[in-house]
């Protein structure tokens, strides 16, 4: 059941993004930024957390989950450290993914090259 | 001194410059299209084993130039001017291809209309008596154009149906005052036309008004109807631009028949992978020198009008919200 | 013909867009990436202690998948079919980083790959952090966390 929910929720977020792309002249990166900001803000208001618990990877894998991780990291660090958490928290949860993107991206760039 | 002008915008030649030798090279994708038999060389590897696509493009251009010369038994020293351009910043492929030739070089730019412009300028140099042989060449490369004008190749982009695919290839030809070959009779250089369109994903629609403007002026200047030509070949409007050109013509009451074709529509056939079709400076070059010239030589057509179209934009103008200025140059070629 | 007239004409004559087909494909492709994510998440959750750690590792694995598919030249083909379904999942974020790294490596490791790796992913990071910062600041002030 959790698999079906993840599939449907993740799919719906992408379908909504596709609708925006279809009806506007925005580039994909605009939509990605929009979704990330949306995720970050809804995590701040406290609605992304229950959403994550309901949809699992369906809420985590879309880039809005990345945005929510930024805010969630900040909030948990604030509770631990105080105001410094505003700055250390951004990469608390996302750091692993970012470092992974840099490392794997570099490896691929060395191993492979663009083709048509 | 009597001018060789007719009408408002067209020039004509009396001692007709002749296209005595030509060579076309296309990439793998273009070689799989329906017009592959018209091209002299089809690349196995679009990178030619080079480390970068930029190096590959200039080598393709250089090879086309060398072949065009050697086919007619010429060496670079027989040529007085090399007129060439491409899509990259500072027409850098043309510059590098000129480096080894060691003859006077004129680098020019009209984006995808560069080939028609260089053909026109080369003819003028010949007819003015400033040269007896002029070398004309143009190139483009999918990978180099993509990274300069758009995105990294492997990026997750879903192309829109109006997007066009830059042709990988090069076309080179020798214009000569004497010898045998198809002759250039008229040239109409175009004006910049800007209808305020801003969508870089639909360059065809942006270029169509320029194509129409030059075509209409040309026909008016020489006082002929479109069927004076057996083939009117627009450079790279693609399916969308071609449709818009027909719509404009209909509105303006110019009857364009089946003799109107577009290089960008033809080269890849109907394959939806390429969106609205082809674009790129090499598109009009290889279609004119490959397809058009064969038809002229085989006597299937007698008169060809090339209308080379170009969208003059770069990443900065697009990001700063400017519209897309466009241009079209027409060159009339007769068997 | 006036520019406005022509612009209107162009709008009226755009090729038909296969909107619903694209939206459905985005749903399927994006859903599939999420499904794979869920499988990974379930697997990782059994090994890791906290949910935050489990989700961080899941994201890292998805990023690895995105990078490998990009290196193999497959990801751009998936995007051609799936559109936003390929761009929105975190694999798409990974693709933007890897594609840029591969593309600009030709200009050298420092000024090319190093400098331009985040040329497309950069805005996502910048605005993610800025909006996260703002909302976390407001929340902390309102709830008196400091």
């Amino acid at each position: 059941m959790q698999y079906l929910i993840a599939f449907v929720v993740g799919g719906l977020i992408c379908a909504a993004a596709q609708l925006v792309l279809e009806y506007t002249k925005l580039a994909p990166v605009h939509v990605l930024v929009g979704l990330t900001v949306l995720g970050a803000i809804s995590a701040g208001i406290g609605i992304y957390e229950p959403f994550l618990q309901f949809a699992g990877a369906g809420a985590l894998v879309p880039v809005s989950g990345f945005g929510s991780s930024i805010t969630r990291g900040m909030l948990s660090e604030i509770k631990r450290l105080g105001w410094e958490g505003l700055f250390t928290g951004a990469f608390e949860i996302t750091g692993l993914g970012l470092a992974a993107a840099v490392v794997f991206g570099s490896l691929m760039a060395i191993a492979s090259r663009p083709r048509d | 001194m009597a001018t060789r002008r007719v009408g408002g915008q067209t020039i004509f030649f009396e001692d007709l410059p002749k296209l005595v030798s030509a060579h076309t090279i296309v990439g793998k994708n273009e070689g799989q299209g329906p017009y592959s038999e018209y091209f002299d060389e089809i690349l196995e590897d679009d990178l030619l084993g080079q480390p970068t696509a930029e190096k590959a493009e200039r080598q393709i251009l250089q090879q086309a130039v060398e072949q065009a010369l050697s086919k007619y038994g010429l060496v670079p020293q027989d040529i007085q001017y090399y007129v060439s351009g491409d899509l990259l910043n500072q027409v850098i492929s043309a510059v590098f291809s000129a480096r080894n030739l060691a003859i006077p070089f004129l680098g020019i730019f009209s984006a995808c209309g560069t080939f028609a412009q260089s053909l026109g300028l080369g003819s003028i140099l010949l007819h003015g008596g400033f040269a007896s042989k002029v070398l004309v060449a143009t190139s483009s490369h999918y990978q180099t154009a993509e990274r300069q004008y758009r995105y990294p190749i492997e990026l997750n982009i879903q192309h829109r149906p109006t997007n066009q695919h830059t042709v990988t290839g090069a076309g080179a030809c020798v214009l000569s005052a004497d010898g045998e070959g198809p002759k250039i009779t008229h040239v109409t250089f175009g004006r910049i036309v800007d209808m305020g369109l801003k969508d870089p994903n639909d360059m065809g629609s942006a270029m169509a008004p320029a194509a129409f403007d030059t075509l209409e002026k040309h026909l008016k200047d020489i006082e002929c109807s479109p069927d004076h030509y057996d083939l009117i070949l627009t450079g790279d409007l693609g399916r969308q631009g071609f449709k818009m050109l027909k719509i404009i013509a209909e509105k303006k009451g110019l009857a364009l028949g089946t003799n109107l074709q577009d290089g960008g529509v033809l080269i890849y056939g109907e394959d939806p992978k390429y969106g609205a079709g082809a674009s790129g400076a090499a598109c009009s070059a290889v279609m004119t020198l490959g397809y058009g010239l064969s038809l002229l030589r085989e006597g299937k057509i007698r008169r060809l009008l090339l209308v080379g179209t170009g969208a003059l934009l770069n990443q900065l103008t697009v990001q700063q919200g400017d519209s897309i200025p466009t241009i079209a140059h027409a060159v009339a070629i007769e068997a | 013909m006036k520019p406005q007239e022509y612009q209107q004409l162009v709008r009226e004559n755009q090729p038909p867009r296969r909107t619903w087909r694209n939206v459905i494909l985005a749903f399927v492709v994006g859903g599939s990436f999420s499904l794979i994510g869920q499988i990974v998440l379930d697997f990782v959750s059994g090994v890791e202690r906290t949910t935050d750690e489990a989700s961080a590792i899941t994201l890292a694995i998805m990023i690895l998948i995105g990078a490998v598919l990009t290196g193999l030249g497959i990801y751009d083909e998936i995007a051609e079919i799936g559109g936003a379904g390929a761009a929105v999942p975190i694999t798409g974020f990974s693709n933007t980083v890897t594609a840029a790294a591969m593309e600009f490596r030709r200009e050298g490791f420092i000024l090319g790959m190093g400098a331009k790796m985040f040329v497309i992913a950069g805005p996502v990071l910048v605005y993610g952090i800025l909006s996260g910062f703002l909302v976390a600041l407001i929340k902390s002030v309102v709830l008196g966390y400091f």
Side-chain angles (χ1 to χ4, degrees), chain A residues 21 26-35, chain B residues 151 157, chain C residues 87 96 119-124:
Chain A
L21 287 178
L26 293 177
V29 66
H30 292 119
V31 178
L32 294 188
V33 169
L35 270 174
Chain B
Y151 301 106
I157 290 293
Chain C
T96 62
V119 74
I120 296 141
V124 173

Side-chain angles (χ1 to χ4, degrees), chain B residues 51 143 147 152-160 162 195-197 202 205 208-209 240 243-244 247-248 251, chain C residues 1 3 6-7 9-10 13-15 17 73 76 79-81 83 87 92 95-96 99 102-104 106-107 120:
Chain B
Q143 290 203 17
R147 71 192 314 223
I153 306 280
E154 297 294 345
L155 190 67
N156 60 68
I157 290 293
Q158 185 176 44
H159 288 97
R160 304 195 176 212
T162 50
M195 286 297 194
L197 293 182
D202 183 8
S205 295
Q240 177 62 15
K243 182 166 114 191
M244 292 313 298
I247 290 172
I248 300 169
K251 292 223 170 228
Chain C
M1 199 179 292
Y6 183 66
Q7 286 162 26
L9 212 53
V10 170
N13 286 285
Q14 285 291 304
R17 301 195 61 169
D76 60 331
E80 205 64 76
I81 299 163
N95 164 265
T96 62
M102 285 165 68
E103 184 75 37
F104 296 109
R106 289 162 172 170
E107 279 74 55
I120 296 141

